[in-house]
Amino acid sequence: MPQPTGAQTAADAPAEILAAARAILPWMVEIRRDLHRHPELGLEEHRTSARVRERLDELGIPHVDGLAGTGVLGTIRGGRTPEGRVVALRADLDALPLHDAKEVSYRSQVPGRMHACGHDGHTAILLGAARLLAERAGQLAGTVKLIFQPAEETVGGARLLVEAGVLENPRVEAIFGLHVDPGLDVGWVGLRYGQRNASSDNVAITVHGRSSHGAYPAAGVDAIVAAAHVVTALQTVVSRNVDARNSAVLTLGTIEGGTQGNIVAGRVRMVGTVRTLDPAIRELVLRRVREVAEGVAAGLGARAEVEIEPSYDPVINDNAMVEVVRASAVRLLGEERLVVFERPNMGVEDFGFYLTRVPGAFFSLGVRNREAGIVHPVHNERFDLDEEGLAYGAALQVLNVLGILEG
Ligand code: NI
């Protein structure tokens, strides 16, 4: 059992919480570096999950294991008002299929695997926040759920954990998550009100024609010619159907069809992604993709089969919850170290699966350090983070929890 590090009152001042977080920074760094050396892909985070369970045991925090395979749910019940409110904090566990090109003592020991999105840091931060909260459990006016989630990068592990019931019994009333951001200096925080990340949908279009000898195209229906017209016509969905003040992305990333140069192709398959920020625009774009593909193909004597598979929910922050994070950041770091992003991000993040069910906020934690050369973007083979950011992250999450339980 680690030694307590700070004052034990619920009314801890931000400075005391930050001092307590700094005091356990070596412990968080050790956790983060261990995970960094041993990255695991989504749904395969067995070692990572075992490390989390060991740390929760060490802290005396009860936990439910094996959620979606590797997910862990810890629960801290406050001693002051056990029937109080319920807040959840979330970290993701998975790494990426990438080669670690950094020259550091803690570089990945697993070829082709790397924590290049900082989820090792997220896990260390959540354990740090758990330790600080567990030390104050007697004074807490409510319950804190600690969600360690698999597979953010692949299948949307958040959806699996929602289905496993992490938001119920007791029902979560507020949830906070963060992502390390190498675009912000360490000690800074980035906030976004409302829509933060796009939703995504996977689209597959199969154009069915009829093959014939390449010398006698009139005897068949050319699926390649029809597909070419479909691709071109789909460019009008965003440019002509979506109001210019809104945004959407339609990308077809693969196209394949045909068998040989002198055979008219009977079939072409194209796969792509749709990104939108607004549910009404999402519905419009998906409807138009279907109508345009089917209509254009039919006009050329072919048939388009359109399959749409919803992927990630949008990340839509609750503005009252963003205010809670803002208050924590201002008290901890000062107004001048706060950035409010003016635009949402067309990338996705599976935290949206929680936010479509529970009010909460997802925010950005600065980890850049130009002097130390820590400047590379996420998903880059030289990505790293300034570990001092782990202390800020843990302190911020503790203040967010207190902001709800004491608020
Ligand atoms: Ni990430």
Side-chain angles (χ1 to χ4, degrees):
M1 178 73 190
Q3 292 302 304
T5 51
Q8 306 287 304
T9 65
D12 279 357
E16 281 178 70
I17 299 226
L18 183 56
R22 284 201 166 116
I24 64 164
L25 181 57
W27 184 79
M28 285 191 278
V29 167
E30 184 194 323
I31 292 169
R32 183 256 167 171
R33 292 187 176 188
D34 173 65
L35 299 180
H36 200 83
R37 287 189 190 98
H38 303 281
E40 297 173 300
L41 297 182
L43 302 181
E44 298 171 7
E45 309 98 330
H46 299 288
R47 183 186 182 280
T48 309
S49 178
R51 288 289 174 274
V52 167
R53 298 194 302 267
E54 284 166 23
R55 296 300 187 175
L56 292 175
D57 287 340
E58 190 184 333
L59 297 170
I61 297 173
H63 48 93
V64 178
D65 311 329
L67 302 169
T70 53
V72 179
L73 175 67
T75 302
I76 301 172
R77 287 183 194 278
R80 186 149 70 96
T81 321
E83 71 284 4
R85 302 188 74 188
V86 181
V87 190
L89 302 176
R90 171 272 209 169
D92 36 16
L93 302 171
D94 55 326
L96 287 162
L98 206 64
H99 170 73
D100 190 344
K102 294 191 303 298
E103 293 300 330
V104 293
S105 62
Y106 50 90
R107 71 176 283 194
S108 171
Q109 304 296 302
V110 187
R113 300 281 183 274
M114 179 186 175
H115 267 294
C117 203
H119 299 184
D120 52 339
H122 302 166
T123 301
I125 286 169
L126 184 50
L127 285 167
R131 181 170 167 181
L132 298 174
L133 288 163
E135 287 169 0
R136 290 160 177 75
Q139 305 300 320
L140 279 183
T143 298
V144 185
K145 286 179 151 184
L146 312 160
I147 301 173
F148 295 89
Q149 174 216 301
E152 194 284 323
E153 300 280 0
T154 54
V155 297
R159 174 167 40 197
L160 302 179
L161 288 209
V162 167
E163 286 166 4
V166 297
L167 299 179
E168 306 300 330
N169 302 318
R171 170 131 185 97
V172 172
E173 295 162 82
I175 185 165
F176 297 98
L178 59 79
H179 205 294
V180 295
D181 186 346
L184 287 175
D185 284 341
V186 69
W188 287 60
V189 164
L191 296 180
R192 164 79 193 162
Y193 288 88
Q195 187 82 48
R196 186 185 186 279
N197 292 79
S199 60
S200 71
D201 296 279
N202 302 325
V203 177
I205 302 170
T206 307
V207 178
H208 300 277
R210 196 171 63 247
S211 57
S212 66
H213 195 294
Y216 314 113
V221 174
D222 192 335
I224 286 185
V225 170
H229 282 274
V230 168
V231 170
T232 305
L234 285 176
Q235 303 311 307
T236 66
V237 173
V238 174
S239 70
R240 304 292 92 174
N241 297 141
V242 176
D243 186 305
R245 293 164 294 182
N246 289 311
S247 59
V249 176
L250 166 57
T251 293
L252 291 173
T254 71
I255 179 166
E256 54 181 310
T259 53
Q260 188 168 296
N262 65 351
I263 299 175
V264 167
R267 181 179 174 277
V268 171
R269 185 172 167 84
M270 304 175 282
V271 178
T273 184
V274 169
R275 303 293 172 96
T276 51
L277 294 166
D278 179 289
I281 300 295
R282 182 181 192 178
E283 190 270 324
L284 168 76
V285 169
L286 296 176
R287 176 168 59 78
R288 288 299 292 153
V289 165
R290 189 180 292 282
E291 288 171 356
V292 168
E294 290 175 354
V296 168
L300 297 170
R303 181 173 63 85
E305 186 186 334
V306 180
E307 300 155 72
I308 293 167
E309 178 193 49
S311 184
Y312 282 23
D313 279 356
V315 174
I316 303 174
N317 280 329
D318 181 284
N319 287 345
M321 296 295 154
V322 178
E323 285 297 342
V324 171
V325 179
R326 182 191 177 92
S328 302
V330 168
R331 292 168 74 206
L332 202 70
L333 308 164
E335 185 101 42
E336 66 284 359
R337 293 195 167 194
L338 195 65
V339 176
V340 176
F341 298 125
E342 287 182 12
R343 290 164 192 264
N345 182 330
M346 298 310 286
V348 295
E349 156 64 55
D350 77 357
F351 198 76
F353 288 115
Y354 304 113
L355 292 181
T356 47
R357 291 160 180 88
V358 170
F362 192 71
F363 61 99
S364 301
L365 179 74
V367 291
R368 181 175 61 196
N369 183 331
R370 287 195 180 90
E371 292 75 49
I374 300 174
V375 295
H376 300 281
V378 293
H379 294 219
N380 178 281
E381 60 181 10
R382 304 196 71 81
F383 170 80
D384 201 355
L385 52 88
D386 184 330
E387 290 166 328
E388 209 190 322
L390 304 179
Y392 293 119
L396 281 163
Q397 289 291 49
V398 169
L399 284 181
N400 291 337
V401 166
L402 298 180
I404 297 295
L405 297 188
E406 316 273 317

